Amino acid sequence: MKTRDRILHVSLLLFNEEGEAQQTAVDISNALGISPGNLYYHFKGKDAIIRGLFDSFEEEMRIILRGSRGRVTSIEDNWVYLYIILEEIYDFRFFYRNLGVLLDRYPDLANRFRSLVAEQRTTIHNVLDDLRDAEALSIDPRLMEVLTDQMMMTLTFWLEADSMNRNNLDGAALIHKTVFQVMCLIVPYMGENGMDALSRMIAHYEASRT
Amino acid sequence: MKTRDRILHVSLLLFNEEGEAQQTAVDISNALGISPGNLYYHFKGKDAIIRGLFDSFEEEMRIILRGSRGRVTSIEDNWVYLYIILEEIYDFRFFYRNLGVLLDRYPDLANRFRSLVAEQRTTIHNVLDDLRDAEALSIDPRLMEVLTDQMMMTLTFWLEADSMNRNNLDGAALIHKTVFQVMCLIVPYMGENGMDALSRMIAHYEASRT
DNA sequence: GTCTATAAGTAGATAGAC
DNA sequence: GTCTATCTACTTATAGAC
């Protein structure tokens, strides 16, 4: 593994586990067992590392988003698809832990992030349209934008929201809970099947917690 | 106005407008036209100022929350009550702009914040109960917790969510939009009146934007 | 590519005069 | 209460040897 890749790999671990703000360039070089000078040879600074990590995240997320085209046609598909998105976000969770700071500090990155969020929103919107076409959902058109916004909000701030609670969940449990939370947003639009689907989801959710 | 109060007042303005992270102790003293030494005479540092500001926010918010007891018995009441909460948050919006950082940096403040959020959640839950008792809402009990979480998420992250958009709204418009967003969360549970209420809300919302 | 050593810059904090 | 001056601590960034 090349030093450049090792830097990205270890930085991601440190950022995710300890928080991005807490890690200095020297901390990262220590964790790698290399000198700060060497780190600077590969990356001009911490911001360059972060940009490198965002490159990976952006690429992977765009692949996931584009992979949904016409493939999510049932409530179960939707459940699985949410899982995939949330797991990708979890892999790069330090970005989402304090979005505000990062966007303030790196304006160029802020634009790329906003653009990615916009594509995410479009994808969610399309998925809802597909589910409506497949008659899995019946949504008042006037509520579509609001519902999309609400789903986006949950998909973007679930990690920060969890840190508001005293007893934080581990990753897998939190992802599961969040999928459930998002699915519940569309339960009222599932018509007759809504309550059944809800019961199955709750059973599934409760079972996974034991 | 005493220097101590002027410090709190000007700091709040600076934090809200320019961001908390961007302001150093020296910046604040410059804005006040006093020396850094004098600032340190009144507050041991920026964290002491932030604590002082949180004291005010916490006190005001708890009064608002406790003021709701049994007083929110209609959809219209709920609309107004959301307004009051959102406006209070907006006054101290720098806390919500990057919650993650603040909670990391000041663990004691994090506990107080979590406790306040918990009381907020209880209040929202009680209000929903009251609305159900008043037969303004009809909610499946299994969805109550999820709905409460969803409302809390919106009330906590609306400011950060707005900064994800390219064209940010001004304060009044954003508050209005957010009230609308939260109200739409309960539209599916209004029964027969839901669609009527939605139409009225949309009319009201559109009218306010022109 | 990698190291050591060090410069340069910044924020936080205090001492002592007025 | 308020000031000036200074000190400490920490982080980023670079220079030059190996």
Side-chain angles (χ1 to χ4, degrees), chain A residues 19 21-22 97-101 103-104 111-115 117-118 140 142-143 146-147 149-150 153-154 156-158 160-161 163-166 168 177 180-181 184-185 187-189 195 198-199 202, chain B residues 19 21-22 97-101 103-104 111-115 117-118 140 142-143 146-147 149-150 153-154 156-158 160-161 163-166 168 177 180-181 184-185 187-189 195 198-199 202:
Chain A
Q22 282 70 40
R97 280 287 292 277
N98 24 33
L99 267 177
V101 200
L103 302 201
D104 277 358
N111 282 329
R112 294 173 62 191
F113 203 95
R114 276 189 255 269
S115 154
V117 165
D140 188 305
R142 291 170 299 177
L143 279 173
V146 176
L147 177 60
D149 282 341
Q150 200 64 40
M153 179 170 282
T154 308
T156 309
F157 296 104
W158 55 296
E160 280 199 79
S163 70
M164 290 291 104
N165 297 328
R166 278 223 166 65
N168 297 24
K177 181 194 159 159
F180 179 66
Q181 180 82 20
C184 283
L185 283 173
V187 161
Y189 310 108
M195 288 301 120
L198 177 63
S199 299
I202 287 173
Chain B
Q22 282 72 40
R97 278 287 294 278
N98 24 32
L99 266 177
V101 200
L103 302 201
D104 278 358
N111 281 329
R112 294 171 64 192
F113 202 95
R114 277 189 254 270
S115 154
V117 165
D140 188 306
R142 292 171 296 178
L143 279 173
V146 177
L147 177 61
D149 283 339
Q150 201 64 42
M153 178 169 286
T154 308
T156 309
F157 297 104
W158 55 296
E160 280 199 79
S163 69
M164 291 291 105
N165 298 329
R166 279 225 164 64
N168 298 23
K177 181 195 160 158
F180 179 66
Q181 179 83 20
C184 282
L185 283 173
V187 161
Y189 311 108
M195 288 300 119
L198 177 62
S199 298
I202 287 174

Side-chain angles (χ1 to χ4, degrees), chain A:
Chain A
M1 204 175 192
K2 298 227 182 297
T3 301
R4 197 194 133 87
D5 294 327
R6 285 182 59 225
I7 292 173
L8 288 174
H9 184 244
V10 169
S11 296
L12 180 57
L13 284 178
L14 284 176
F15 291 165
N16 278 343
E17 294 308 315
E18 316 287 340
E20 180 268 341
Q22 282 70 40
Q23 307 303 313
T24 71
V26 176
D27 291 331
I28 296 170
S29 59
N30 282 345
L32 282 156
I34 65 173
S35 70
N38 191 10
L39 184 71
Y40 269 85
Y41 171 78
H42 290 283
F43 291 94
K44 278 181 195 164
K46 215 172 70 168
D47 34 337
I49 296 177
I50 290 173
R51 264 174 258 276
L53 289 171
F54 188 76
D55 288 341
S56 304
F57 174 63
E58 187 180 30
E59 190 187 344
E60 294 172 23
M61 183 57 86
R62 291 208 191 266
I63 290 172
I64 292 173
L65 295 178
R66 283 160 195 174
S68 76
R69 287 242 161 268
R71 294 238 183 77
V72 181
T73 53
S74 71
I75 298 298
E76 284 70 22
D77 290 344
N78 194 41
W79 176 289
V80 173
Y81 192 58
L82 287 172
Y83 245 98
I84 294 171
I85 290 176
L86 290 175
E87 278 170 352
E88 177 65 23
I89 289 173
Y90 190 75
D91 287 344
F92 291 86
R93 56 192 172 282
F94 83 91
F95 281 123
Y96 288 82
R97 280 287 292 277
N98 24 33
L99 267 177
V101 200
L102 278 157
L103 302 201
D104 277 358
R105 199 135 39 99
Y106 312 113
D108 59 321
L109 222 136
N111 282 329
R112 294 173 62 191
F113 203 95
R114 276 189 255 269
S115 154
L116 186 59
V117 165
E119 183 168 342
Q120 253 177 322
R121 192 186 187 285
T122 304
T123 301
I124 298 291
H125 202 287
N126 288 339
V127 166
L128 289 176
D129 278 339
D130 290 347
L131 289 174
R132 201 196 47 208
D133 291 346
E135 294 182 355
L137 291 179
S138 164
I139 309 179
D140 188 305
R142 291 170 299 177
L143 279 173
M144 268 294 281
E145 302 306 317
V146 176
L147 177 60
T148 310
D149 282 341
Q150 200 64 40
M151 291 176 77
M152 277 305 296
M153 179 170 282
T154 308
L155 293 179
T156 309
F157 296 104
W158 55 296
L159 287 160
E160 280 199 79
D162 180 61
S163 70
M164 290 291 104
N165 297 328
R166 278 223 166 65
N167 42 356
N168 297 24
L169 301 169
D170 67 74
L174 180 59
I175 290 173
H176 199 83
K177 181 194 159 159
T178 308
V179 171
F180 179 66
Q181 180 82 20
V182 177
M183 292 302 290
C184 283
L185 283 173
I186 59 174
V187 161
Y189 310 108
M190 292 185 193
E192 308 280 310
N193 311 321
M195 288 301 120
D196 283 356
L198 177 63
S199 299
R200 270 184 282 120
M201 278 193 265
I202 287 173
H204 186 194
Y205 178 58
E206 296 297 335
S208 74
R209 282 160 51 109
T210 56

Side-chain angles (χ1 to χ4, degrees), chain B residues 4-15:
Chain B
R4 198 194 133 85
D5 293 326
R6 284 183 58 225
I7 292 172
L8 287 174
H9 184 245
V10 169
S11 297
L12 180 58
L13 284 178
L14 284 177
F15 292 165

Side-chain angles (χ1 to χ4, degrees), chain A residues 164-166, chain B residues 62 65 111-125 148 152:
Chain A
M164 290 291 104
N165 297 328
R166 278 223 166 65
Chain B
R62 290 207 190 268
L65 295 177
N111 281 329
R112 294 171 64 192
F113 202 95
R114 277 189 254 270
S115 154
L116 186 58
V117 165
E119 184 167 343
Q120 252 176 322
R121 191 185 187 286
T122 304
T123 302
I124 297 289
H125 200 287
T148 310
M152 277 306 295

Side-chain angles (χ1 to χ4, degrees), chain A residues 181, chain B residues 65 68-75 77-79 81-82 85 119-153 155 181-190:
Chain A
Q181 180 82 20
Chain B
L65 295 177
S68 75
R69 288 240 161 270
R71 293 237 184 78
V72 180
T73 53
S74 71
I75 299 298
D77 289 344
N78 194 40
W79 176 289
Y81 192 58
L82 288 172
I85 290 177
E119 184 167 343
Q120 252 176 322
R121 191 185 187 286
T122 304
T123 302
I124 297 289
H125 200 287
N126 288 341
V127 166
L128 289 176
D129 278 340
D130 290 347
L131 289 174
R132 201 196 47 206
D133 292 345
E135 294 182 353
L137 291 181
S138 165
I139 309 180
D140 188 306
R142 292 171 296 178
L143 279 173
M144 269 294 282
E145 302 306 318
V146 177
L147 177 61
T148 310
D149 283 339
Q150 201 64 42
M151 290 175 77
M152 277 306 295
M153 178 169 286
L155 292 179
Q181 179 83 20
V182 177
M183 292 303 289
C184 282
L185 283 173
I186 60 174
V187 161
Y189 311 108
M190 291 186 192

